[in-house]
Amino acid sequence: MEYINVIGAGLAGTEAAYQIAKRGIKVRIYEMKPIKFSPAHSSENLAEIVCSNSFKSNLITNACGLLKEELRRLGSLLIECADKTKVPAGQALAVDRDEFSKLVTKYINENENIEIIKEEVTKIPEGITIIATGPLTSESLSEEIQKLMGKEELFFYDAAAPIVTKESIDMNNAFTADRYGKGDSDYINCPMTKEEYEAFYNELINAEVVTKHSFENGGLFEGCMPIEEMARRGSQTLTYGPLKPVGFDKKYYAVVQLRQDNFDGSLYNMVGFQTNLKFGEQKRVFSMIPALKNAEFIKYGVMHRNTYINSPEKLDETFNLKGTDIFFAGQISGVEGYVESIASGMVAALNAIQKFNGEDRIIFSSETIIGALAKYVSTPNDDFQPMNANFGLLKTDVKFKDKKKKYEASVQYLYKNKSIEEKLMFIFSAKNLGQTYRRMRYVREYATYQRLQGEEILKKQEQIRKKKVEREQVKAAKESLLKEREGEKTKLEAQEKEKRTLVANLQKKQRGLQGEINKKRREANQLNARIDKLIAEEIERARKRAEEEARREAAARKKAEGKESQTAGTGKTVKTNSKPLETYTMSKADRELSGNFAANRGKLPMPISGAYIITSHYGQYAVEGLRNVKLDNKGIDIQGKPGAQARAIFDGKVAAVFQLNGLFNVLIRHGNYISVYCNLSSASVKSGDMVKTKQSIGQVFSDGTDNGRTVLHFQLRREKEKLNPEPWLNR
C-alpha cells in the first residue's frame, strides 16, 4: 500500500497527517464532517476546539509549557498555528478558535500528499492506520474498536464553558488583572460579595440540568468537572477552585475570571464554567454574577461523552496497538488535553512512518514529557484515567549532570568513531532510491538533533552560571543583612519601649474618652427627656384646641338643626348637615398644615445655612476608637461653617424655646409634625411666633475649644413618634 490512513481530523489527526505528508508519504485522512457532526462540534473546519481556547502555560517550568517546546523543536504544525493565532492570556497560550481551525485547515488542504475523504468510517481500513477520532467517536466505529479491543472501552464526561460578548460585560462591576500581577492584565475579573455568592450558589446547585442521552451514562472526569457538580461538593468548593478570590490587590469573597476567546477581543470565555445546565438556566443563573447581569451569551456550555481505550493493556510506547498495523492518537488513546493530543499524534505519525519504511520504531526517552506520556499510556495500571502532562510522569533518577555526560558521549561517538565512509556506507547500502533518500534525511536530521541538544546543554550551562552568580549575590546580601541585624535589634528594643509608653498613653486617653462619652450620653438623655416632655405638652395643647373647635362646630350644627325644625312647620323642606360629631386630635388649620408638610417629604430644605456635612446619622452607631461602645442618635448631627444659622424647614409655629447647659433649643410645630433644632448659641424666635420656610431661628453654637466646630443637632417627630430626618430633606 502506497499510503497511510488517518481517521479523524481533530488535533491529533491533523498533526499526524501533516508529519507523514511532510516526509513524502501519501496520506488519506477521513473526516465525517460535514456529513455528520458529533454532539459537540459545529464547524466544518478541521482541528475544531470546543472546550476551552487555552493551550495552557507557555513557561517551560510548567509541564505543558515544556511539552509545547518539545513539539516546537520537532516541527509541530498545530503548535505553529497556535503561536500564529494566539490572543492575550498572560503567560498562557490561548488562541482565536476560528482562526486557529481555519489556519490548520489551510495547511492540510494545500499539502499535495494529503487526500481528505469526507465520510463516516464504519470499518477500519486495511494497511497502516492511525485512529484519532477523539472523545466523540461515532457509534458504528466505536463498535468496531470494541470488537478490536476484545472488551468494553472506558469513557468519561467532558463539559464546555459558555462564551459572552465583551461589550455586554458590566465593567463597573469588573476589573482587568492577572492573579499575583503575572501577565499583562489579560483577564476580566468579576468579583462577588458573600451575599451575592451565596445567592448565586443556591441557584446554581438547584438549577435544572440537561437530561442525559443514552450514550452519556457514566461518571465524570475530575479534570473537567461541570461547575454545578463541583458546587454540590460543598458551598466553599468553588471559592477554593475556579472562583478563588486570591492574587488581587483587594480582598473579594469570590471572583469569576473571563479569558479572551478571539483575536479582536470581542468574545470572552467563562474560565472553569463548563456546565450541563439547560441554556435558559445558564442565562438565569450566570446573570446573577453582577458583572454579567446583562451578559450576551454567544455560546452556552454543553456536555458530551469522552471515550478512550484501555491503553495500558493494548498500546505500546509508540501508540501502536500491539500486534497490528493500527495506531491510536488523541484523547481516545488516554491522554488528556489539547497539547497532549497533538503530542500523541506526533509520536503515532513518526512510528507509522517507521513501520511503513520497515524500520525500527522510535521510543522517546521518559526524561521528556512526550516520552513520559507515551510511557504512562502503555504501562499497566488498574486505575487508569486520562492524564495531562505533568512533571510527576518524568523519570527523576537521571540528574542534569548525567544527562550532559550522556549527550557528550553521544556526540563524541558520532563525530570521533563514525567516519564519513561509515555514513556513506549506511546511506548507499539502502535497498532502493526511496530508502537512500530517507537515510540521507535521517543522517541530516540526526545531526541537527545533536546540534540542538548541544545548544540545550550550553543554554543549561549558562542558566547554571547565572544561578551561581545569583547564589553568590544572595550570600553577600545575607552577610550584609546579618551585619545590619545587630543595629536593627537595638532599634527594635527602643521601639518596643516606645510602644509600651504609647500603649499606656492610649489607655489613659481611652479612659478620658470614655468619661467624655458618658458625659455626652447624659447630656443627650437630658435633652431628649426635655424634648419629649415639651412635645407631650404641645400635643396636649393641640388636643384641647381641637376639642374646643369640635365643640364650636357641634353648637353651630345644633343651632342649624333648630332652624330646620321651625322651617318644617311652614311646610318647607330645608336640608341640613346631619353628620355626627367627630373626635379631632388636631384643629382644621393643623390638619391642613400637616398635609402640606407630608406632601413635601424629600423636598424640605436643610435646617442649616451654607455648606454642611452630616457627621452622625439617625439610630445606633459605634464610637470610633472604643470597642463595644454604641450611642443612639434620635436625630442627625449636621456640621456647618462657623456663623451658620439654624433655619426652619417649613412653615409653622414655635412651640417652645428652652435652654439646657447654656445652649438654646427650638421646637417648631407643623400640624402634627414637630421639628427640633438644638445646640444654638442664640435664638431669634420665641414661643408662639409664626415662622416661614428657611427663616433663621438662631445661630448654631461654634465650639472654640474644638477648632470652632459648628454642629446642629436636628430631630423630626410625628407627635411622639421619632422619625429619621434624612429621607425628608432635600440633600
Side-chain angles (χ1 to χ4, degrees), residues 232-302:
R232 292 187 182 103
R233 296 184 172 184
S235 62
Q236 299 305 306
T237 304
L238 299 183
T239 60
Y240 285 90
L243 274 70
K244 60 181 180 287
V246 298
F248 304 108
D249 293 337
K250 296 182 179 178
K251 291 184 178 180
Y252 303 100
Y253 192 81
V255 177
V256 177
Q257 285 201 305
L258 309 179
R259 180 179 60 235
Q260 187 174 327
D261 200 75
N262 62 348
F263 261 137
D264 57 13
S266 61
L267 302 178
Y268 273 76
N269 181 291
M270 296 179 68
V271 180
F273 269 66
Q274 55 272 5
T275 182
N276 192 35
L277 297 183
K278 288 187 173 181
F279 290 175
E281 290 288 79
Q282 291 183 42
K283 172 69 174 176
R284 181 181 67 84
V285 176
F286 297 160
S287 294
M288 294 178 70
I289 301 165
L292 303 181
K293 60 184 178 182
N294 299 315
E296 180 185 5
F297 290 82
I298 295 298
K299 189 174 182 180
Y300 288 105
V302 295

Side-chain angles (χ1 to χ4, degrees), residues 464-512:
I464 290 171
R465 187 191 65 78
K466 288 182 179 178
K467 288 288 184 185
K468 187 177 179 181
V469 172
E470 288 175 3
R471 282 197 300 269
E472 290 174 352
Q473 291 173 343
V474 170
K475 184 180 178 182
K478 284 182 177 178
E479 289 175 352
S480 177
L481 286 171
L482 285 172
K483 290 179 182 178
E484 294 175 5
R485 195 168 238 180
E486 291 300 320
E488 289 293 330
K489 184 180 178 183
T490 305
K491 272 187 191 178
L492 287 171
E493 288 173 350
Q495 289 174 358
E496 184 64 25
K497 185 179 179 180
E498 186 181 344
K499 183 180 177 182
R500 287 195 296 269
T501 304
L502 181 61
V503 169
N505 292 336
L506 285 173
Q507 288 174 342
K508 184 179 178 181
K509 185 177 179 181
Q510 185 172 357
R511 287 193 294 272

Side-chain angles (χ1 to χ4, degrees), residues 146-188:
Q146 189 170 328
K147 293 176 185 177
L148 192 65
M149 295 292 110
K151 64 188 295 185
E152 286 190 12
E153 78 275 16
L154 309 173
F155 58 90
F156 62 92
Y157 287 104
D158 194 12
I163 297 173
V164 300
T165 61
K166 184 181 181 181
E167 64 180 7
S168 68
I169 302 167
D170 182 6
M171 294 306 295
N172 292 323
N173 288 305
F175 62 94
T176 56
D178 290 281
R179 284 194 172 94
Y180 306 106
K182 297 180 178 179
D184 298 316
S185 300
D186 298 321
Y187 290 85
I188 294 177

